[in-house]
């Protein structure tokens, strides 16, 4: 999955009927420090929100055919879904407790 | 899905028979400000139009096996489809209305 | 799909038996002006030709599991297929005829 | 598969219910010398750990629909899984023993 | 498929049981002149060898769900397979014989 930040929403009236009612968010990939990954493919993308994410939030994004399984409708032409909101990123290893 | 701009059309007479009648558009990925994403993979690509998009329009593009589901023909060798036309991009969070 | 230019052919005697008889071409991705996309992922790749493309020609390339559907053999380990030859690229919007 | 290094863990309470109980790790792609691949797509990503990997370890990561097969649950919206821990990378060809 | 060069092998004892016995090779993508493609996504990757490739050899690599079909085991969590060894790359068009 990808680590991303929600930066906007899409308004689209003329679209595939299976996308009606889907909340389309613009996401940008970030690294573990919250920096944008400008060299990454799909550094900006559109994902369907399924967890109630808002602009500015850090999210977990699933791509590919897997993305359709979240929404429950296998014929919806979506290939990217927001599947979680990130509360915290822990980048240092926990203290290893030495047991004597 | 990808945020992209339609920049051209493809004329091809010698092609897989399942692509006959498909409207092939050249798209370029853009970010939320409309700037081209030159470092993105597939920054230029060919997508089958299913929503009546024209050159210069900002569109939503679905990739992968998912793309075939829009067209209704699972044997067509397409892997990228235009599934919506973007009316507006909202990049700032809406004012949160405080209800007393 | 991708816009690409055929730049070479592969000679391989030791390969998966399902690839025997497949014409393997080296392709390089190009943009709408014919310039190589050096930052694109898979900027150089190998595609199976199904339309009779030759070195120097501009082609349409389909990727992923979709690629296998062109060849008719779902067990062939190919993930990229040339599905069309490009005659012309039109990058300017047609003159809109104003009907009075 | 990808060669990657585990650099962190994700804490997420609001997520798709099928991801409950999954150990979500932040990984960064590396090359054969352990250097980060900053130009690679998905240079930073989130993978579900299935082999007990810890922060700082070098791992093997599988992507796409294939990733779901490791976990045994085809409806979990995951597209990246840690499937192995790397003990050693051998980058020089072994001495070819000349047998007379 | 991708054009790549085998640069190393992976030793991993702790891995998904379906990968036991698989020969894991580190590959790096190259272009038609044998130069590494440093900007390509997955410029360094791990592929399962099925054709007896060795370090230093130029190979054909298949990605995605397609990769599993070579090995015959659809539940093995692999997404990249070496499916052929390249003998020769021909980058110039053959002399067109003019028949009178």
């Amino acid at each position: 999955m990808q680590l991303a930040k929600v930066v906007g929403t899409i308004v689209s009236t003329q679209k595939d009927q299976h996308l009606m009612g889907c909340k389309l968010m613009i996401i940008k990939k970030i690294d573990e420090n919250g920096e944008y990954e400008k060299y990454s493919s799909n550094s900006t993308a559109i994902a369907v929100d399924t967890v109630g994410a808002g602009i500015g939030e850090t999210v977990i994004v699933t791509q590919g055919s897997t993305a359709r399984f979240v929404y429950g409708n296998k014929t919806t032409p979506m290939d990217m879904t927001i599947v979680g909101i990130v509360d915290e990123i822990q980048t240092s290893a926990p203290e290893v407790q030495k047991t004597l």
Side-chain angles (χ1 to χ4, degrees), chain A:
Chain A
M1 288 82 81
Q2 306 304 320
L3 188 63
K5 195 171 178 178
V6 180
V7 298
T9 56
I10 294 281
V11 179
S12 167
T13 50
Q14 195 173 340
K15 62 187 167 189
D16 182 82
Q17 58 175 354
H18 293 98
L19 287 175
M20 298 294 171
C22 289
K23 197 172 145 203
L24 300 174
M25 314 296 276
I26 301 182
I27 56 158
K28 288 180 89 80
K29 287 192 187 165
I30 56 173
D31 66 12
E32 74 276 19
N33 300 315
E35 301 289 329
Y36 289 127
E37 293 217 303
K38 68 178 273 203
Y39 295 110
S40 178
S41 75
N42 304 340
S43 55
T44 306
I46 303 172
V48 175
D49 178 34
T50 65
V51 293
I55 291 178
E57 282 187 298
T58 299
V59 293
I60 305 168
V61 176
T62 292
Q63 285 177 285
S65 61
T66 308
R68 275 176 285 153
F69 286 88
V70 179
Y71 211 72
N73 187 340
K74 294 189 182 175
T75 59
T76 303
M78 65 170 67
D79 60 8
M80 208 173 273
T81 315
I82 298 175
V83 297
I85 297 176
V86 175
D87 299 323
E88 200 184 337
I89 296 172
Q90 294 170 337
T91 53
S92 58
E95 294 282 323
V96 181
Q97 281 203 307
K98 290 189 184 71
T99 56
L100 282 187

